[in-house]
């Protein structure tokens, strides 16, 4: 394990950013934090987590795929892809690192999504272990230890130091390049912090929420559950929960008429919307209840069914914090969980 | 603290259910945390007794849900409306979104609602919140139990409340309030006083945070189109993403124009925006313009009024006056 004084972090981050584009959580003037490209004076935010996950850096909300130029009766296909450069994402929380694993299974399995793959292959992820979880956090429900080593490198921030440990070879190389800033350290402080954080986690309001009742093969147990009616009753169908979720992965492909050609792009979609997966006959999910059910069944049943039991919720708590009606996956699990038929 | 208690509301609801006046009650239940409430439809007295809440976090305006529930259910619905909510209720009636007879309105006085965002900015790791008079006792993970004054946590819309008098009710609980001498246009005036470049930069910065989740539209009691232009894939405009910066602003400008003269300034759009964009300022600008050009008009103050923008009177200012005033601003 290596360490540096907290006070050298600005210089260290500058050195990283000068070598490779660097993204890190920076406070906004709205009182939240967002992943932001490093700039001179950018401070590493102390927020429990960013308002949105690092998903945007791998799977942006909109992305141009290909363009077509028309001239008379000919259509020219233009390759508008750009070379992807290496980049570093610093300060990713462990839940969000798990969320990237959820996305990987979707975008990196055959047929591989080359846009996503390019970004993943060029990214180095530095995880920031948690020491100040908040009431919306429930990563433990999905087996995540937010104090443990993950990503390519993990940092533990204490009052006056930052401790570093590599988890991958790429991470080792990254730390080697920062050698001038780091010194050897034992893990006493980190071990103490981990124990302290574990005690805090056990006091969180959602600490006892369990996912055991869910998983692959549970479609019939939950699909026709009578509670969907009441759970979905006040859902606005807005899509906030899907757009702030670090694992929501659905997108739509659209053509934008530029006047002299077409740009084909994709943008995030939401199962909460009335035109989601709309086909010639309409949306197969006619009511908000069905759309609402889809979101939670996907996270808790369908995804694990196709991905070796991995849930596609990581307990980051963003949808809990942002839903206008305070309805969310934790309430859904609590309501359905003890009552699987 | 609210001047009528949960028990007052609960007793009324139980009585109206029991005597057959209504078949359902639209109110709030506790959200995931003590500082949140979920709009909830009740029909069973026992559930009502255990789950119903009325506290400083019942900000959600229930009037828009009446469209959906009156269509879906038989019988009459009891709804609890705060003063600002009753303006939305009247506006919906003016637009014939549901039938008045289907609803039994219980007006509840309101002393202002607390903003969970302000609470969370002051207290980290909130385990529980209990109301104690004019303060909240907040049990936290990091700073023990804190006592915070509700007055310091009020939502922006409550700090600039336009009216504590209900614009509609069948039964009023507690004391009726007064129309307020609100400073709600001050912030708009401050933006008007900016140079065009500053103003552009202000909105550019605010709107560029938008993630197009559409929560502002979906919660808005004036947005009741059966098919929103931004939810129709054949309309040629994008509902889920801004394909460019221009479209990012277009969504908000179009929405503000669609609700101009119909927006009651209930403040729900700003309350729900996950990105903290002060959307109410756009709508208030329109209200201010209407007030200044056509005389003071409050949407939803009464049922059946014609909004100045869809009406013609001989007193209307000439179009060029309006345009010139706009230029000056
Ligand atoms: S669950 Fe909440 S955030 Fe999600 S669509 Fe419904 S109202 Fe919006
Ligand atoms: S469903 Fe909610 S808690 Fe789960 S990963 Fe998505 S945003 Fe986070
Ligand atoms: S609620 Fe906020 S983020 Fe969502 S679409 Fe409206 S302005 Fe944009
Ligand atoms: S945005 Fe405009 S078109 Fe859409 S529902 Fe609102 S008023 Fe109607």
């Amino acid at each position: 394990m290596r360490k540096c004084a907290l006070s050298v972090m600005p210089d260290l981050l500058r050195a990283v950013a000068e070598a490779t584009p660097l993204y890190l959580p920076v406070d906004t003037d709205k009182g939240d934090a967002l992943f932001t490209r490093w700039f001179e004076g950018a401070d590493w935010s102390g927020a429990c987590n960013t308002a949105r996950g690092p998903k945007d850096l791998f799977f942006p909300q909109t992305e141009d795929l290909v363009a077509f130029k028309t001239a008379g009766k000919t259509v020219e296909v233009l390759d508008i892809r750009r070379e992807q450069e290496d980049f570093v994402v610093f300060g990713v929380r462990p839940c969000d690192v798990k969320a990237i694993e959820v996305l990987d299974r979707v975008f990196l399995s055959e047929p591989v999504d080359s846009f996503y793959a390019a970004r993943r292959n060029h990214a180095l992820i530095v995880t920031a272990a948690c020491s100040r979880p908040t009431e919306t956090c429930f990563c433990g429900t999905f087996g995540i230890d937010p104090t443990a080593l993950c990503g390519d490198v993990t940092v533990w921030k204490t009052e006056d130091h930052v401790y570093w440990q590599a988890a991958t070879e790429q991470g080792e190389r990254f730390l080697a390049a920062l050698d001038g800033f780091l010194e050897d350290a034992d893990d006493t402080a980190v071990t103490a912090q981990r124990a302290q954080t574990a005690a805090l986690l056990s006091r969180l309001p959602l600490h006892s929420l369990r996912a055991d009742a869910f998983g692959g093969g549970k479609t019939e147990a939950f699909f026709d559950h009578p509670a969907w009616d009441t759970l979905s009753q006040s859902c606005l169908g807005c899509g906030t929960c899907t757009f702030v979720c670090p694992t929501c992965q659905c997108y739509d492909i659209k053509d934008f008429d530029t006047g002299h050609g077409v740009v084909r792009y994709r943008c995030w979609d939401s199962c909460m919307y009335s035109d989601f997966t709309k086909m010639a006959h309409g949306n197969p999910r006619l009511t908000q209840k069905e759309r609402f059910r889809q979101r939670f069944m996907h996270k808790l049943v369908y995804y694990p069914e196709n991905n070796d039991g991995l849930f596609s919720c990581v307990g980051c708590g963003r949808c809990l914090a942002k839903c206008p009606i305070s309805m969310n996956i934790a309430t859904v699990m609590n309501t359905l969980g003890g009552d699987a038929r | 603290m609210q001047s009528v208690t949960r028990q007052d509301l609960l007793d009324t609801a139980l009585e109206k259910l029991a005597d057959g006046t209504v078949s359902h009650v639209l109110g709030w239940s506790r959200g995931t945390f003590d500082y949140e409430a979920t709009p909830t439809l009740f029909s069973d007295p026992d559930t009502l007794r255990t789950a119903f809440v009325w506290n400083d976090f019942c900000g959600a305006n229930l009037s828009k849900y009446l469209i959906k529930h009156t269509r879906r259910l038989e019988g009459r619905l009891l709804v609890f409306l705060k003063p600002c909510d009753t303006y939305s209720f009247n506006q919906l009636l003016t637009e014939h979104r549901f039938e008045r007879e289907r609803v039994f309105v219980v007006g509840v006085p309101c002393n202002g609602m607390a903003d969970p965002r302000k609470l969370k900015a002051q207290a980290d790791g909130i385990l529980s919140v209990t109301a104690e008079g004019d303060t909240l006792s907040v049990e936290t993970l990091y700073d023990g139990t804190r006592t915070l004054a509700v007055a310091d946590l009020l939502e922006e819309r409550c700090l600039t409340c336009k009216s504590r008098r209900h614009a509609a009710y069948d039964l009023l609980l507690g004391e009726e309030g007064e129309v307020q001498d609100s400073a709600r246009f001050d912030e708009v005036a401050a933006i008007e006083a900016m140079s065009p470049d500053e103003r552009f930069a202000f909105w550019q910065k605010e709107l560029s945070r938008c993630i197009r989740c559409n929560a502002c539209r979906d919660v808005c009691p004036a947005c009741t189109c059966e098919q929103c232009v931004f939810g129709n894939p054949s309309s040629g405009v994008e509902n889920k993403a801004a394909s460019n910066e221009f479209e990012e602003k277009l969504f908000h400008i179009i929405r503000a124009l669609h609700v101009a003269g119909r927006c009651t300034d209930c403040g729900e759009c700003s309350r729900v925006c996950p990105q903290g964009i002060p959307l109410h300022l756009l709508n208030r600008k329109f209200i201010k313009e209407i007030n200044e050009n056509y005389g003071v008009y409050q949407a939803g103050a009464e049922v059946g009024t014609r909004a100045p923008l869809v009406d013609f009177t001989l007193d209307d200012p000439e179009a060029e006056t309006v345009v010139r005033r706009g230029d000056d601003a």
Side-chain angles (χ1 to χ4, degrees):
Chain A
M1 186 167 280
R2 312 273 283 160
K3 76 170 177 185
C4 68
L6 191 55
S7 55
V8 310
M9 280 306 284
D11 291 339
L12 184 153
L13 291 172
R14 181 184 305 105
V16 173
E18 276 166 2
T20 325
L22 165 69
Y23 296 85
L24 76 167
V26 176
D27 288 338
T28 71
D29 55 9
K30 294 277 184 183
D32 58 11
L34 286 173
F35 278 97
T36 309
R37 176 93 180 243
W38 181 89
F39 55 91
E40 189 59 55
D43 272 333
W44 174 23
S45 167
C48 169
N49 208 350
T50 46
R52 289 203 309 286
K55 178 172 86 174
D56 308 43
L57 295 171
F58 299 99
F59 171 42
Q61 184 160 14
T62 59
E63 169 171 39
D64 292 343
L65 303 176
V66 63
F68 307 94
K69 199 165 148 195
T70 46
K73 289 196 169 167
T74 62
V75 177
E76 198 187 334
V77 180
L78 306 175
D79 187 349
I80 53 174
R81 287 176 296 180
R82 270 168 297 178
E83 274 310 312
Q84 177 64 46
E85 53 182 1
D86 286 346
F87 65 105
V88 174
V89 195
F90 176 89
V92 181
R93 292 300 185 190
C95 55
D96 288 341
V97 173
K98 194 71 172 179
I100 295 172
E101 188 189 319
V102 171
L103 297 177
D104 283 354
R105 283 178 175 252
V106 175
F107 291 116
L108 300 183
S109 53
E110 286 300 331
V112 171
D113 184 301
S114 57
F115 292 85
Y116 180 88
R119 294 196 180 90
R120 279 295 279 128
N121 293 337
H122 284 88
L124 181 126
I125 293 171
V126 182
T127 311
C130 294
S131 59
R132 238 183 124 82
T134 197
E135 71 268 18
T136 46
C137 298
F138 61 112
C139 49
T141 299
F142 300 104
I144 299 164
D145 174 357
T147 70
L149 181 70
C150 65
D152 292 306
V153 173
T154 297
V155 297
W156 290 263
K157 183 166 122 183
T158 64
E159 208 128 286
D160 39 17
H161 283 90
V162 178
Y163 291 80
W164 301 72
Q165 192 172 350
T168 63
E169 261 175 49
Q170 206 195 347
E172 297 280 5
R173 282 197 298 277
F174 177 78
L175 285 192
L178 291 175
D179 206 45
F181 291 96
L182 305 176
E183 53 183 288
D184 282 334
D186 67 25
D187 58 7
T188 321
V190 169
T191 309
Q193 188 192 62
R194 289 187 62 177
Q196 220 172 29
T197 310
L200 289 167
L201 290 165
S202 71
R203 293 180 56 206
L204 292 178
L206 297 172
H207 177 68
S208 57
L209 185 64
R210 294 271 71 88
D212 309 345
F214 303 94
K218 296 293 174 71
T219 304
E220 277 178 28
F222 294 113
F223 195 80
D224 286 322
H225 199 292
W228 291 116
D229 280 320
T230 38
L231 287 167
S232 66
Q233 182 190 75
S234 295
C235 172
L236 298 168
C238 61
T240 302
C241 49
T242 53
F243 282 10
V244 299
C245 179
T247 71
C248 271
Q249 66 235 203
C250 293
Y251 61 83
D252 197 358
I253 296 183
K254 301 247 176 183
D255 284 349
F256 180 68
D257 184 351
T258 60
H260 36 78
V262 162
V263 177
R264 180 159 297 167
Y265 69 101
R266 69 167 160 200
C267 59
W268 294 352
D269 206 341
S270 169
C271 50
M272 292 294 191
Y273 289 161
S274 60
D275 64 340
F276 182 73
T277 60
K278 188 166 180 178
M279 295 170 248
H281 72 291
N283 182 343
R285 301 187 190 95
L286 289 175
T287 65
Q288 196 56 34
K289 170 183 153 183
E290 295 164 291
R291 296 170 199 145
F292 180 96
R293 176 173 62 195
Q294 165 63 20
R295 177 159 197 272
F296 301 103
M297 289 293 280
H298 184 216
K299 299 260 183 256
L300 299 168
V301 179
Y302 310 151
Y303 187 98
E305 177 141 348
N306 298 325
N307 292 281
D308 309 314
L310 181 71
F311 290 105
S312 64
C313 171
V314 295
C316 74
R318 291 187 176 88
C319 58
L320 279 64
K322 300 293 189 184
C323 172
I325 62 152
S326 188
M327 176 50 66
N328 52 60
I329 193 159
T331 306
V332 167
M333 289 169 75
N334 260 328
T335 310
L336 301 180
D339 189 22
R341 295 181 311 161
Chain B
M1 192 182 69
Q2 301 303 329
S3 53
V4 288
T5 64
R6 169 183 185 270
Q7 196 61 45
D8 297 333
L9 273 68
L10 186 61
D11 289 344
T12 309
L14 288 169
E15 179 197 317
K16 297 294 168 196
L17 269 180
D19 71 14
T21 310
V22 299
S23 57
H24 292 80
V25 173
L26 185 53
W28 306 266
S29 59
R30 180 182 181 272
T32 305
F33 304 104
D34 287 341
Y35 54 74
E36 300 172 319
T38 302
T40 306
L41 187 72
F42 301 92
S43 57
D44 164 44
D46 287 332
T47 317
L48 193 62
R49 272 187 209 100
T50 50
F52 179 81
V53 297
W54 166 247
N55 57 32
D56 295 320
F57 297 100
C58 291
N61 175 351
L62 304 176
S63 53
K64 188 179 184 178
Y65 285 111
L66 293 169
I67 304 174
K68 159 168 144 177
H69 292 318
T70 52
R71 282 183 193 182
R72 215 167 49 89
L73 304 166
E74 306 268 311
R76 203 166 172 206
L77 252 114
L78 185 152
V79 66
F80 290 110
L81 298 180
K82 306 182 293 294
C84 56
D85 306 338
T86 59
Y87 289 76
S88 311
F89 177 80
N90 276 351
Q91 185 62 29
L92 287 163
L93 284 177
T94 300
E95 294 170 15
H96 308 287
R97 306 307 286 145
F98 49 82
E99 288 165 27
R100 180 68 181 86
E101 314 76 69
R102 299 287 311 283
V103 186
F104 185 87
V105 178
V106 178
V108 277
C110 174
N111 292 337
M113 288 291 152
D115 183 345
R117 277 183 284 219
K118 288 190 181 173
L119 174 66
K120 286 196 257 186
Q122 295 211 21
D124 191 9
I126 300 175
L127 303 177
S128 73
V129 181
T130 327
E132 283 169 5
D134 291 334
T135 62
L136 298 175
S137 171
V138 186
E139 188 199 347
T140 73
L141 196 53
Y142 298 105
D143 308 310
T145 299
R146 312 254 324 264
T147 303
L148 300 172
V150 179
D152 296 335
L153 301 173
L154 289 182
E155 291 188 32
E156 186 280 342
R157 60 176 171 180
C158 303
L159 291 171
T160 56
C161 176
K162 61 181 178 287
S163 171
R164 290 189 171 185
R165 189 164 59 83
H166 294 78
Y169 58 79
D170 294 301
L171 175 73
L172 179 71
L173 298 181
E175 297 273 311
E176 183 62 304
E178 294 298 324
V179 173
Q180 305 286 302
D181 190 12
S182 158
R184 65 185 168 131
F185 296 114
D186 288 3
E187 239 184 307
V188 179
I191 295 173
E192 286 170 351
M194 292 177 183
S195 72
D197 284 347
E198 285 168 348
R199 198 154 54 223
F200 187 78
F202 173 85
W203 283 112
Q204 173 95 331
K205 180 156 176 266
E206 291 293 345
L207 297 181
S208 66
R209 289 174 53 92
C210 173
I211 54 171
R212 288 299 288 279
C213 64
N214 295 299
C216 50
R217 173 199 69 187
D218 292 326
V219 82
C220 172
C223 272
T224 61
C225 294
E226 296 292 324
Q227 172 77 78
C228 174
V229 59
F230 289 103
N232 174 1
S234 326
S235 68
V237 288
E238 190 43 71
N239 64 323
K240 320 164 190 171
S243 52
N244 54 33
E245 260 188 33
F246 176 69
E247 209 178 89
E248 194 169 83
K249 296 180 196 70
L250 201 66
F251 166 64
H252 294 286
I253 294 169
I254 290 178
R255 211 181 78 78
L257 280 163
H258 282 188
V259 303
R262 304 167 44 239
C263 165
T264 66
D265 202 4
C266 75
E268 283 287 88
C269 47
S270 295
R271 178 181 71 84
V272 303
C273 177
Q275 295 291 90
I277 302 171
L279 295 158
H280 63 281
L281 293 177
L282 274 180
N283 304 321
R284 262 187 210 168
K285 167 67 176 164
F286 280 98
I287 298 174
K288 185 166 179 281
E289 285 297 317
I290 291 170
N291 286 353
E292 288 170 4
N293 285 303
Y294 298 94
V296 174
Y297 176 79
Q298 172 58 53
E302 286 158 59
V303 179
T305 49
R306 283 185 74 84
L309 293 183
V310 291
D311 201 8
F312 172 76
T313 72
L314 290 173
D315 298 334
D316 281 354
E318 293 303 323
E320 62 171 33
T321 318
V322 180
V323 171
R324 206 177 311 121
R325 281 192 211 165
D327 276 351
D328 289 344

